[in-house]
Amino acid sequence: MAMTHTQSRFNSTLTSQCQNCSLSALCLPIALADEDINKLDQIIERKKPLKKGEFLFRQGDTFDSVYAVRSGTLKTFNITSFGEEQITGFYCPSELVGLSGIDSNVYPVSAKALETTTVCEIPFSHLEELSTQIPSLRHQLFKVMSRKISDDQQMMVLLGKKNADEKVASFLLNLSNRFKKRGYSASSFRLSMSRGEIGNYLGLAVETVSRVITRFQKSELVHVDGKEIEIVDFPEMQKLVGVASDCGKITQI
Amino acid sequence: MAMTHTQSRFNSTLTSQCQNCSLSALCLPIALADEDINKLDQIIERKKPLKKGEFLFRQGDTFDSVYAVRSGTLKTFNITSFGEEQITGFYCPSELVGLSGIDSNVYPVSAKALETTTVCEIPFSHLEELSTQIPSLRHQLFKVMSRKISDDQQMMVLLGKKNADEKVASFLLNLSNRFKKRGYSASSFRLSMSRGEIGNYLGLAVETVSRVITRFQKSELVHVDGKEIEIVDFPEMQKLVGVASDCGKITQI
DNA sequence: AGTAAAACTTGATCTGTATCAGAAAGTGAT
DNA sequence: ATCACTTTCTGATACAGATCAAGTTTTACT
């Protein structure tokens, strides 16, 4: 039956291992010895896929795990004092979500799937315990958190100092870099988030995002077809952003 | 001789210990057993004071230590692609500077003293090593980094969604909270940064900061005298910011 | 496939904040 | 104390991007 078939596909996902995971070179297992990867593997739970719009966790939920995205995309967001949503990040495969919950034992943001998304759940207490036994894992964790801090600071620069063109160009190049790092095309990809979500994230109105993208299209910087985007003129885009010093280092705008 | 005298004062500072430090309840030693505090104490170097304008480290320097501020204030900033400074944070006593350097082994920002400032240097490799032996220290470190991540995300909300009044009010209440936590007055304090630096940090022009503060003064929200500031009408200020949901949790805007 | 809702685009107008300009008040060095 | 320099304040003007208003396309559900 179809049901059973689907179920079995899920199971195969659920039983997959860090060793076989194509993301292991980017995710936590970096530089772990085989036996260490095994230990890590044992504490990780593969969860069944989230459908578009489903929550991974909600602002205020008790924190107990961080999650590595396996496929799909997530956004994290805050609900501000007057009920508006403020997106604080988008998460691609191999990226870790939920680190901001460690401090207060409560997630300070909500995480929601932008498309069908699978994640590996990593119970934090186990991860912490394991990091005692595996120094390189501990170091890796510190690095991931440190990276997040410097990325967020780059984002603060973007929000505080850049104009609409620069914001959108930075955003697109940043996505491009992240795709490239995962072995996908750096020039052609699909935006899993809406124009509205891009605007929300960048501190711009939807209309502005739309206009900027149209303008980029007209000046042959990019080709756009709905959510499909192709970056045509990298040099010019990089010039807009302020080139090397910025976009190279940012993993996540 | 004056020289000798000064020198000896420095020495007394340099030999002070975590146990006697009034900041230990806020800094890393939180919840450490006495013997553990001793271990931590041994890896920490008290440095001689930085004068106003001196650098603690520069963007691009090799990372090897994080620093706890003992007295005074620091700012961290980036130099953007076209040479302008973008301030990414202000650091008060007990706060940890330099965590963003762990990832790349290079500080991605510069840190400069806003006034005479003393810091404790904590060589990171030692700290990491020590965190293996002391689980509560390791946990504390994760918490500090996690807190920084969620604080930075609040800052992103501020930069992306708030208007000038809300930004300045958030900034002042945030400082107020940080002073309060350290046992100083929550209502009266001295701004160690210039209007220009506040504006830079908040994504506003100097003139706007000045105007907003003047307006706050006229509507009796605050009393200002140069760098001295007194928050008079907390409820109204909190209303501006969006009250509870925001300012309570933010340690560092 | 058909329809309702959501997302996107484009144009016209409005507005908050930047920018420009100059005066006033502080600050530091000689 | 004086001078040069920096910071702060205040006013006038300009403009990037928000908001408002439609129209069009895409998406999702039955």
Side-chain angles (χ1 to χ4, degrees), chain A residues 63 66 96-103 141 144-145 148, chain B residues 146 149:
Chain A
F63 165 83
V66 297
L96 236 45
V97 198
L99 292 169
S100 57
I102 299 170
D103 174 55
L141 249 177
V144 168
M145 295 185 76
K148 176 78 180 149
Chain B
S146 166
I149 292 170

Side-chain angles (χ1 to χ4, degrees), chain A residues 52 163-164 203-205 207-208 211 227:
Chain A
K52 179 173 179 171
N163 65 27
L204 296 172
E207 295 93 328
T208 305
R211 276 187 255 265
K227 308 225 150 202

Side-chain angles (χ1 to χ4, degrees), chain B residues 148-212:
Chain B
K148 177 76 181 149
I149 292 170
S150 48
D151 287 348
D152 284 352
Q153 280 170 356
Q154 286 301 317
M155 186 65 192
M156 285 159 55
V157 175
L158 178 144
L159 288 169
K161 287 264 178 301
K162 297 190 177 182
N163 64 26
D165 283 14
E166 293 164 346
K167 285 180 178 180
V168 175
S170 302
F171 178 72
L172 294 177
L173 285 185
N174 175 258
L175 280 184
S176 161
N177 280 330
R178 285 152 81 182
F179 286 123
K180 187 180 180 182
K181 197 166 287 178
R182 277 160 203 105
Y184 299 115
S185 165
S187 54
S188 299
F189 46 90
R190 188 170 182 288
L191 299 170
S192 48
M193 63 296 289
S194 71
R195 304 286 194 268
E197 287 166 329
I198 296 174
N200 182 302
Y201 181 55
L202 298 177
L204 297 172
V206 202
E207 296 93 326
T208 305
V209 175
S210 181
R211 277 186 254 265
V212 171

Side-chain angles (χ1 to χ4, degrees), chain A residues 147 151 154 177 181 244-252, chain B residues 59 78 103 107-109:
Chain A
R147 177 65 163 240
D151 287 348
Q154 285 301 318
N177 280 330
K181 197 167 287 177
S245 73
D246 270 358
C247 37
K249 342 190 269 200
I250 318 176
T251 8
Q252 193 192 124
Chain B
Q59 191 169 345
N78 261 259
D103 174 55
Y107 296 104
V109 292

